[in-house]
Amino acid sequence: MAISAKDVMELRKQTDCGMMECKKALTEADGNFEKAIEILRERGLATAAKKASRTAAEGMVYADYCPQCKVGVVIEVNAETDFVAKNDKFVAFVKEATQVIMKQNPADVEALMACKTENGETVDEALKNLILVIKENIKVRRFVRYEGVCSAYVHGGGTHGILVNFETTNGIETKDEFAAYGKDIAMQVAAANPGYVDEASVPAEVVAKEKEIMLAQMAGDPKTANKPEAVKQKMIEGKIKKFFKENCLVDQEFVKDGDLTVAQYTAKVAKDLGGDIKIVKFTRFQKGEGLEKRADDFAAEVASMVK
């Protein structure tokens, strides 16, 4: 039986499932809508789609590094409640997705969904099967993959995930002391939340905007409003230095030793290990960052049930 595009769109409207899934279901059901919906429900697709409208801002962030293949990954997978992060099947899915990213290097989340896992199913299929078990909306939100020497760190059981990429010489990345150093830097990123690696990586427009804000603040402060322009510019230079110190990783005070900056700590470790270390880039994921959290109103829920 020929399935029209209109029929596919109507089934998609009723189930929120993908176009191809709807077309396959209608074909198997010989155009029977109720049978097609039943097929989609049996496959768990309609269930997964129904939950897709619910807010997923919990879950976990995970980071891992393979020293043999020198590839690191940090990933965020969201769910509706924080209980899910403790579920073994959910954690196993997150780790499996991380391994797929490491080995297959997908371009983005959409490409990741089409990648095959070790048991032959796609990541998308594995996710939908997980949704059937967990009975919550679950989404792979984002990931970053670095090639080269890395350190990976997961904080708070998955509230934060950090991946730091380095350049090293003389094979010092294989030493235990470097592993300890790398963890220190990743923990620094987790705790101090720098925006940039160093001053050179801060975009010129960001610096210009900071200066603009500082000038506006001075204009609104009676103590500085009438100062000469040269004095104001000198004060801004000092404020910009403070901005770099607070926002650039290498300029920050090292959290484990306030007498050292991260750059000084890095130089010290490199000297002790007989090589060079350069922090190239980093990624810091915080679980649910920028997502609207679901606010459950239990009283309202009960009231609606009574009505």
Side-chain angles (χ1 to χ4, degrees):
M1 178 181 176
I3 305 299
S4 70
K6 184 178 178 181
D7 289 338
V8 175
M9 288 297 293
E10 181 59 30
L11 183 60
R12 186 177 189 276
K13 183 179 177 182
Q14 291 186 31
T15 63
D16 284 337
C17 291
M19 297 287 283
M20 291 306 297
E21 285 88 359
C22 289
K23 185 177 181 180
K24 287 177 185 176
L26 277 168
T27 302
E28 289 182 31
D30 291 327
N32 185 305
F33 267 74
E34 290 185 8
K35 181 63 178 176
I37 292 171
E38 185 179 334
I39 290 170
L40 290 170
R41 289 188 64 192
E42 286 173 355
R43 292 176 179 169
L45 300 178
T47 303
K50 186 178 179 181
K51 295 179 186 299
S53 62
R54 304 208 310 239
T55 303
E58 296 293 344
M60 70 179 290
V61 177
Y62 182 68
D64 197 12
Y65 171 62
C66 172
Q68 288 76 35
C69 55
K70 290 188 177 179
V71 174
V73 172
V74 59
I75 185 173
E76 179 178 5
V77 182
N78 298 123
E80 295 176 55
T81 66
D82 57 358
F83 299 107
V84 171
K86 303 176 181 67
N87 184 291
D88 290 342
K89 287 184 172 62
F90 177 82
V91 174
F93 169 79
V94 174
K95 292 183 177 180
E96 184 175 45
T98 302
Q99 289 300 310
V100 170
I101 295 165
M102 274 191 184
K103 295 172 183 176
Q104 300 183 40
N105 191 20
D108 50 29
V109 172
E110 185 179 355
L112 170 63
M113 291 296 103
C115 291
K116 292 285 184 72
T117 63
E118 286 192 358
N119 65 8
E121 65 181 355
T122 65
V123 174
D124 186 54
E125 289 167 343
L127 177 60
K128 284 171 178 169
N129 289 334
L130 181 65
I131 291 172
L132 277 177
V133 174
I134 303 288
K135 295 181 171 58
E136 283 194 15
N137 183 22
I138 301 170
K139 292 181 178 179
V140 179
R141 182 187 181 194
R142 53 183 175 168
F143 68 83
V144 166
R145 180 183 184 274
Y146 289 155
E147 294 185 359
V149 178
C150 296
S151 288
Y153 171 67
V154 180
H155 181 75
T159 61
H160 296 72
I162 316 299
L163 188 66
V164 188
N165 182 232
F166 304 92
E167 286 180 1
T168 60
T169 61
N170 298 344
I172 62 175
E173 70 276 2
T174 62
K175 298 181 180 179
D176 292 341
E177 293 86 350
F178 179 84
Y181 158 81
K183 184 179 179 182
D184 282 343
I185 298 303
M187 290 177 71
Q188 173 84 25
V189 173
N193 193 16
Y196 313 93
V197 172
D198 52 23
E199 293 182 22
S201 62
V202 182
E205 58 268 25
V206 172
V207 176
K209 188 64 179 177
E210 285 299 317
K211 289 181 178 180
E212 183 183 319
I213 292 169
M214 291 168 187
L215 278 170
Q217 289 172 342
M218 287 181 185
D221 186 346
K223 295 180 181 178
T224 56
N226 297 318
K227 287 185 179 294
E229 193 63 29
V231 174
K232 287 182 181 179
Q233 290 300 325
K234 196 72 174 175
M235 291 173 69
I236 283 177
E237 285 179 21
K239 287 177 179 289
I240 287 294
K241 285 181 180 178
K242 184 181 179 184
F243 171 82
F244 287 144
K245 185 176 176 62
E246 291 173 349
N247 292 278
C248 296
L249 174 59
V250 298
D251 294 330
Q252 289 181 335
E253 287 185 2
F254 179 40
V255 290
K256 294 176 74 172
D257 185 350
D259 293 332
L260 295 175
T261 64
V262 170
Q264 290 169 336
Y265 172 57
T266 299
K268 180 178 181 300
V269 172
K271 183 179 179 181
D272 291 344
L273 295 180
D276 296 320
I277 302 172
K278 179 184 178 182
I279 302 171
V280 179
K281 53 190 173 182
F282 64 84
T283 294
R284 179 186 188 271
F285 281 173
Q286 182 174 336
K287 181 185 71 177
E289 186 177 28
L291 294 175
E292 183 180 348
K293 303 259 182 175
R294 186 178 70 177
D296 291 324
D297 187 338
F298 183 67
E301 183 179 339
V302 173
S304 67
M305 292 171 67
V306 171
K307 290 178 183 177

